[in-house]
């Protein structure tokens, strides 16, 4: 047996590249990192060396050591080097970087590894497109925007864990190899070699396991956990994604909202130093009526004004025949030209939005109104519209009409577009909102039956139970979403904890008792042995982190994301596997279905 | 919009069942939990109510409220109840529980949920066997031994994260849907619906991704992450298991050992309040020679004494023909009876151990020796054996002989067995040890070629490189294991960061350049763009937690473990899936291979 050498004897570096300051003048230091850039000036060569922590300038002087300087001139971008030298004061200081007051007069240079010329520049504004950056993600990660996003994500998860652990939540790992449900068309399945012909499934969420942990008396559970969904990927979705999954026992909705409002407030405080007031709350119904959207961005106004009462009494057939006439007041937009308004009209008529037309009213500075329907409505009518939409002088009222739900969705899209165009969606402003009282069920046109809006374990509001038989779509659930800046960042519910209630719910969802037993028997059995009242929620960590980071897309907050076809282009996965391996698993390939 | 109700207005409980003390006398409180047990005494009923935090005694008195008491008498075990009452002093205090000084005089009782009689008792010493406890794991979790193990695991992971985050390690999630390697016979594969005929694989470890993060300049990475291995399960293995996975750049072996020795010391200090000295280190070769084992339990002695030099000069053919004669001194065992020694002889002759016989020497109190080979050896010979094994008066020397490797393994098994029998393996004593200088390669009898002992990315010791061509088995690697109480709890290496060295390594492992490129091309490509020197290690969290918790088996430290066939008997997974689902995935079932 032998003892430690001193760390100092062997470490590659004494300091990081972000660490040295003017107070370190005169020290002999060793740094290691990547060559960011190099330039010659007279008899000198200057090299910026970079690591995760920052950038430090190195100097090589022909007068001091011609050989050393000539070696330095041969270094290419992204070479990995180790240098030893003395900290000296810079003649021309760089206030933009923390190490900008000093530089290292190098006395020894070692090349730890060479580098080919990278396929794109390792700079904040790179010349590399999305595809090439994904293929060389390990180089992309060297860039500040990606590197800082990953460090930021670490900080968010750390603070989540600090907060929840401080409240006695226990992080518990639930299994990844679980069971596919017949409804689980979006399950990834995993053949089992030891159990031929049988498959595990990867969890879409740990929902049933966290409920079983509540039955098991764990009281307060959380987990930061990967979940999986094999579905066609929309622009900003991933087949594997991360949830902050939480559950509590002996609580009602109010407790959950308070705990996780507290968590969100803790994040805003510790990450951004922002104190947020108590979060506002809005029912699903109010959100739809006021913003046409169950995840409204309340950083800005332009609330919906319903105009049926003040617009359906004249000869304008389009409004008279519409289920809903609804408008928003765009602040300061009365000055828009005809061309600008035409462009907006074209925008709402795009297939992605789908409106058939748009009516406008300009609220002039002198208190008069100028509209595209002046033929049908007088100034007195339009004044009422202005009142209903909250428009003031200088604003532009934009009005859509048609079937209520569709029209609301269209106006919501227009509102968000205008919010973006007018710079009202500020990335450094945070406006959280609870949306509560979601419907329990939603009608599915394809299958012509009701589906659980949240999931089948969500409890209905007791007072709405009588409606289950008469008007199921009207039954409200003890379900809630946390919305931040127009994004749903979390959602959950108070669960059913009574086996008879759960059986009733499965019945209303169209399950036979046998189907319910086959799929969720273990949960319903568990409910027979003393299940406590419980509820919880889950946050989408990828999205939450991106929004807290002031970004719209999640990719830079994921170290190795997949593309829209679910492929990892860096490692080239998925890929074929050897027939022997499939034989071992008792499966074979067949021709694709389509 | 409306505002919060006060939490206090709606919470199910004011206190937990582990919280109330004598200082709370007179308070009106509401508790909720499970009925642990119930007993009648005269006109009183006493009920123990339990939650995650403890147990509190409730009292119901006929004199106060006959109806209430009769309701209380109807409560069954594991009923979920909510009670309100007054904290009073207990007449007969229970010093064994923290709430033992008080009880609740109940004024209101509500049944939140009923319970069938559980299939086993919810007590520390349950009457339930392993199988039934696994089927009803959610009830098993209510028992203290399991519940406390899960809470303990949470504390360990918290402290791991605290320590590593404090050292600027960044936790980064690597993907779960990766690529199978042709060598990956133990990979779980996942068919991709969007990429018919292609498969993802679940990672056996994030090895290549963490190396790519080092190439990406992340400098210090860790992750507590699930890994997967589809192999026949030995007694205490799981198909999904958790690693504390770590990697650092610009380091040498010494840095890694220091950082993770620090982490282990931090755990022992924060979890158990134990200060541990600097960890001893031992080469692989020394560990094998001294303990016959690369993960020796050094909580106790009985080091191997090699006796060839002092035992191969007489007429005893068995020793003379043996490659190795080796013994251990069992402390205080000279008093063993003939019967006891015979039993030990039978024990080493069991097929699981495989020795052909055993020689013993009793070191008597008077300094004389009595052995089973007195016919061949005199007192002077035996005195030398005692010296070589470190035996003192009162000890029993046990000696095995035969081929060196096999004999060492047999004597190691005997040593561990005696350590257990003699109570020398104390669960509350912690003896960490670094085993270093592992061989780079090991010979595989089946495939008749060398395999990487650790993995193909492990760097060889530069000074041993010449041996790669002449005597590959002798090449040592920069590889190390952390051993705790006879278990390998972590292992790692300094990696290769040079593409030519990596190519050379693949060649020595029998890969063609094409095979190496196909399987690990993305890593070898990455090495062309400035890979820093790096290394790391991974801890097995399940095992680490169990050992820190003083347990031999890992199951109670996993919320929902699988059995030896890889099955989750609670949810009955894996299971068959519908043909339609397989069609969607472009796969079909075939008859099992065997």
């Amino acid at each position: 047996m032998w003892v430690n050498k001193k760390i100092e004897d062997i470490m590659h570096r004494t300091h990081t590249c972000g660490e040295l300051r003017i107070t370190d003048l005169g020290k002999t230091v060793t740094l290691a990192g990547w060559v960011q850039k190099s330039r010659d000036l007279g008899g000198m060569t200057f090299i910026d060396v970079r690591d995760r922590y920052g950038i430090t300038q190195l100097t090589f002087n022909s007068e001091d050591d011609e050989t050393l300087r000539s070696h330095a001139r041969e270094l290419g971008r992204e070479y990995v080097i180790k240098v030893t030298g003395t900290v000296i004061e810079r003649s021309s200081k760089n206030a933009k970087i923390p190490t900008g007051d000093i530089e290292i007069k190098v006395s020894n240079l070692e090349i730890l590894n060479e580098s080919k010329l990278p396929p794109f520049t390792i700079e904040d504004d790179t010349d590399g497109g999305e595809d090439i950056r994904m293929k060389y993600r390990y180089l992309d990660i060297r860039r500040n925007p990606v590197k800082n996003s990953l460090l930021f994500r670490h900080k968010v998860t750390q603070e989540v864990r600090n907060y929840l652990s401080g409240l006695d939540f226990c992080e518990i790992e639930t299994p990844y190899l679980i069971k596919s449900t017949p409804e689980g068309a979006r399950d990834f399945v995993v053949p089992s070699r030891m159990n031929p012909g049988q498959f595990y499934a990867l969890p879409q969420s740990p929902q049933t396991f966290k409920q079983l942990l509540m039955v098991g008396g764990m009281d307060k559970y959380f987990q930061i956990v990967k979940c999986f969904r094999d579905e066609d990927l929309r622009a900003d979705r991933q087949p594997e994604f991360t949830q902050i999954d939480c559950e509590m026992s002996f609580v009602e909705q109010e407790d959950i909202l308070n705990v996780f409002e507290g968590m969100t407030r803790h994040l805003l405080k510790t990450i951004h130093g922002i104190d947020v007031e108590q979060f506002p709350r809005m029912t699903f119904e109010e959100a739809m009526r006021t913003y046409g959207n169950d995840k409204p961005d309340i950083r800005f106004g332009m609330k919906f004004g319903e105009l049926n009462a003040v617009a359906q009494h004249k000869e304008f057939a389009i409004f008279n025949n519409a289920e809903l006439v609804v408008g928003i007041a765009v602040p300061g937009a009365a000055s828009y030209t005809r061309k600008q308004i035409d462009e907006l009209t074209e925008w709402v008529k795009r297939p992605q939005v789908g409106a058939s037309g748009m009516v406008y009213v300009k609220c002039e500075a002198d208190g008069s109104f100028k509209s595209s329907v002046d033929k049908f409505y007088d100034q007195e009518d339009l004044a009422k519209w202005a009142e209903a939409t909250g428009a003031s002088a200088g604003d532009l009222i934009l009005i859509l009409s048609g079937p209520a739900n569709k029209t609301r969705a269209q106006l919501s899209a227009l509102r968000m577009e205008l919010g973006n165009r007018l710079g009202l969606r500020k990335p450094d402003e945070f406006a959280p909102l609870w949306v509560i009282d979601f419907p329990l069920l939603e009608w599915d046109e394809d299958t012509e039956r009701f589906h659980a809006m949240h999931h089948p374990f969500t409890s209905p509001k007791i007072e709405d139970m009588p409606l289950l038989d008469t008007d199921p779509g009207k039954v409200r659930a003890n379900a809630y979403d946390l919305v931040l800046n127009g994004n749903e960042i979390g959602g959950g519910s108070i669960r059913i904890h009574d086996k008879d209630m759960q059986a009733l719910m499965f019945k209303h969802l169209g399950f036979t008792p046998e189907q319910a037993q086959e799929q969720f028997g273990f949960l319903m059995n568990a409910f027979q042995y003393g299940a406590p009242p419980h509820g919880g929620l889950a946050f989408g960590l990828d999205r939450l982190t991106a929004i807290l980071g002031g970004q719209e897309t999640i990719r830079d907050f994921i170290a190795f994301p997949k593309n829209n076809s679910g492929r990892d282009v860096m490692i080239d996965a998925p890929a074929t596997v050897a027939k022997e391996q499939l034989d071992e698993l008792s499966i074979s390939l067949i021709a694709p279905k389509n």
Side-chain angles (χ1 to χ4, degrees), chain A residues 80-92:
Chain A
V80 187
I81 58 171
K82 175 179 159 185
V83 295
T84 300
T86 310
V87 182
I88 60 172
E89 187 164 4
R90 270 171 83 156
S91 49
S92 66

Side-chain angles (χ1 to χ4, degrees), chain A residues 334-379:
Chain A
S335 58
Y336 274 23
T337 62
R338 179 60 184 263
K339 200 176 148 201
Q340 280 177 298
I341 293 174
D342 283 351
E343 191 272 330
L344 278 178
T345 307
E346 288 312 306
W347 192 90
V348 295
K349 286 163 85 174
R350 299 182 322 151
Q352 299 94 316
V353 182
S356 50
M358 183 170 76
V359 165
Y360 72 83
V361 181
K362 290 184 170 184
C363 308
E364 306 288 3
D366 62 4
S368 71
F369 301 97
K370 171 88 196 70
S371 86
S372 56
V373 288
D374 281 350
K375 196 157 34 153
F376 301 101
Y377 299 96
D378 57 27
Q379 292 286 311

Side-chain angles (χ1 to χ4, degrees), chain A residues 12 36 51 74 110 135 248 390 395 406 515:
Chain A
H12 279 101
Q36 176 73 33
D51 66 10
E74 285 159 21
E110 185 184 340
K135 184 165 157 63
M248 302 172 74
D395 292 353
K406 278 191 184 162
Q515 287 171 330

Side-chain angles (χ1 to χ4, degrees), chain A residues 301-330:
Chain A
M302 293 197 239
K303 289 187 193 178
F304 288 14
E306 298 194 357
L307 305 177
N308 293 41
V310 291
Q312 291 187 322
H313 61 298
K314 291 288 171 70
E315 306 289 289
F316 189 48
I318 291 174
F319 279 6
N320 291 348
N321 296 333
E323 185 187 357
L324 179 69
V325 183
V326 60
I328 52 174
V330 188

Side-chain angles (χ1 to χ4, degrees), chain A residues 129-140:
Chain A
E130 174 92 358
D131 289 352
I132 191 98
R133 290 197 292 115
M134 286 303 149
K135 184 165 157 63
Y136 296 88
R137 183 65 162 177
Y138 45 87
L139 298 179
D140 200 26

Side-chain angles (χ1 to χ4, degrees), chain A residues 47 88 112 115 118 123 135 152 158 192 200 210 268 400 491 514 517 519 529 564:
Chain A
I47 286 178
I88 60 172
L112 297 177
S115 175
E123 285 169 1
K135 184 165 157 63
F152 184 80
Q158 240 187 315
S192 166
Y200 301 101
K210 70 175 170 176
L268 288 166
L400 301 180
E514 294 70 30
Q517 187 59 37
Q519 288 180 48
Y529 292 100
N564 287 349

